Amino acid sequence: MVDSASFSHRITEASIIKRSRIILALDITDRSDLNEFALRTISQLESYICAIKLNFHLILPLSSSELSEVNRLVHSYDLQSIADIKLNDIPSTNKIAISHLSSMGFDAITVNPFIGTTGLRAVVVQAHELKSGILALVYMSHIGAQGGFGINYLGSNNQVTSLYQKFFQDAIASRVDGVIVGANRLEILKEISCKRDHIPIYSPGVGVQGGNIKQAANSGTDYFIIGRSIIGSKDPLKTAKTLQHQLVRVNITD
Ligand code: XMP
């Protein structure tokens, strides 16, 4: 894979090479051998995924050299690595976070558009200079997301808008590399997929959070972020393989 290509290009290539649109959420808990287990799981599942996503489960307990080791292994399999920290701070702090994560080998970072368009544009510009990507939340998958992302407000044009619609517009205007909408939010997925131009949609929320992979694929999801349904299953390899095959079938038949 060409390192000088953009994140969007690299993840597209990874998904073609692996014939997979699954991003493995490596949310490992209750183990003392987090690093070894993470490395083993990546090696076991690499053929059925296009990327991994690390959250605080590993980003907080692992050292920067351990995280770099994880990302080196990820890249050796032609996969991409996403840091899911939902960045949401003042520009100088965001800058430090992006700089550290990029130096550890992360290819993309999730960001909360609540920082506003100026903040969002600044993280995109910095990330792109480092050949990293920015994925912006638009509508989260968890119960209660409506109380934040679904809030309506009266805009300066006297029109009622939902916060997620504003987040989506800001994300597009800031040239992010992808937007995140829960796989269990089918109506929102359909609405966003009609307006998104070429921006890919990343969806967590399959399985444990109630989302159906086929329905979400048909509603516009490009990449599926899946954690517990794979990691917590009796046979993670078989589960990842089954999910990957399901998506290939969706591509062919629908
Ligand atoms: P599960 O086990 O539910 O894991 O498949 C999902 C992973 O994704 C994270 N998550 C989100 N990340 N926007 C995000 O950026 C969301 O709406 C969202 N919902 C879940 C979750 O923390 C876990 O790592």
Side-chain angles (χ1 to χ4, degrees):
M1 193 160 310
V2 187
D3 279 348
S4 60
S6 66
F7 166 72
S8 298
H9 184 87
R10 298 197 305 270
I11 194 157
T12 304
E13 233 181 73
S15 74
I16 293 168
I17 293 171
K18 303 290 179 175
R19 300 187 74 229
S20 176
R21 296 191 275 147
I22 296 173
I23 297 171
L24 178 68
L26 253 183
D27 296 342
I28 305 167
T29 54
D30 303 325
R31 300 186 69 101
S32 54
D33 60 344
L34 285 177
N35 194 31
E36 293 72 22
F37 189 73
L39 297 171
R40 255 202 326 277
T41 306
I42 292 162
S43 297
Q44 187 189 24
L45 303 182
E46 57 91 11
S47 300
Y48 302 102
I49 59 177
C50 61
I52 64 152
K53 182 188 77 72
L54 298 194
N55 206 322
F56 298 116
H57 310 66
L58 295 187
I59 291 177
L60 288 180
L62 295 190
S63 67
S64 62
S65 60
E66 286 172 322
L67 290 168
S68 301
E69 186 187 6
V70 168
N71 288 333
R72 274 197 299 276
L73 183 71
V74 165
H75 293 147
S76 75
Y77 289 124
D78 283 334
L79 302 171
Q80 293 290 286
S81 177
I82 299 166
D84 185 10
I85 61 161
K86 301 176 180 73
L87 192 60
N88 184 13
D89 216 311
I90 60 170
S92 59
T93 304
N94 294 339
K95 195 171 177 186
I96 288 294
I98 292 174
S99 165
H100 280 303
L101 290 166
S102 173
S103 71
M104 285 184 252
F106 285 102
D107 298 284
I109 296 156
T110 61
V111 168
N112 191 333
F114 214 84
I115 54 178
T117 40
T118 310
L120 205 49
R121 186 66 198 140
V123 296
V124 170
V125 168
Q126 182 193 1
H128 287 181
E129 278 169 4
L130 295 165
K131 299 290 171 200
S132 295
I134 294 293
L135 306 178
L137 299 180
V138 165
Y139 206 116
M140 287 187 71
S141 53
H142 63 287
I143 293 170
Q146 192 184 359
F149 295 85
I151 284 179
N152 291 329
Y153 69 97
L154 194 60
S156 49
N157 53 1
N158 255 0
Q159 294 235 321
V160 175
T161 309
S162 286
L163 204 49
Y164 77 87
Q165 290 165 331
K166 165 100 174 90
F167 284 170
F168 175 65
Q169 286 161 8
D170 290 351
I172 297 290
S174 305
R175 298 178 166 272
V176 302
D177 302 274
V179 292
I180 304 174
V181 179
N184 48 2
R185 309 281 171 192
L186 296 181
E187 292 313 310
I188 313 264
L189 269 174
K190 285 177 197 160
E191 177 192 338
I192 296 297
S193 75
C194 289
K195 300 176 184 165
R196 63 162 142 171
D197 205 2
H198 295 300
I199 302 275
I201 300 178
Y202 290 72
S203 295
V206 164
V208 177
Q209 294 186 72
N212 173 288
I213 201 163
K214 185 164 180 171
Q215 285 175 354
N218 287 337
S219 303
T221 296
D222 296 292
Y223 296 101
F224 293 85
I225 298 169
I226 308 177
R228 289 164 294 177
S229 301
I230 296 176
I231 301 284
S233 72
K234 270 197 194 141
D235 187 342
L237 182 62
K238 191 170 164 200
T239 308
K241 204 169 171 176
T242 306
L243 289 167
Q244 185 241 14
H245 284 178
Q246 248 176 308
L247 283 171
V248 172
R249 276 208 297 277
V250 170
N251 273 342
I252 292 167
T253 58
D254 296 30

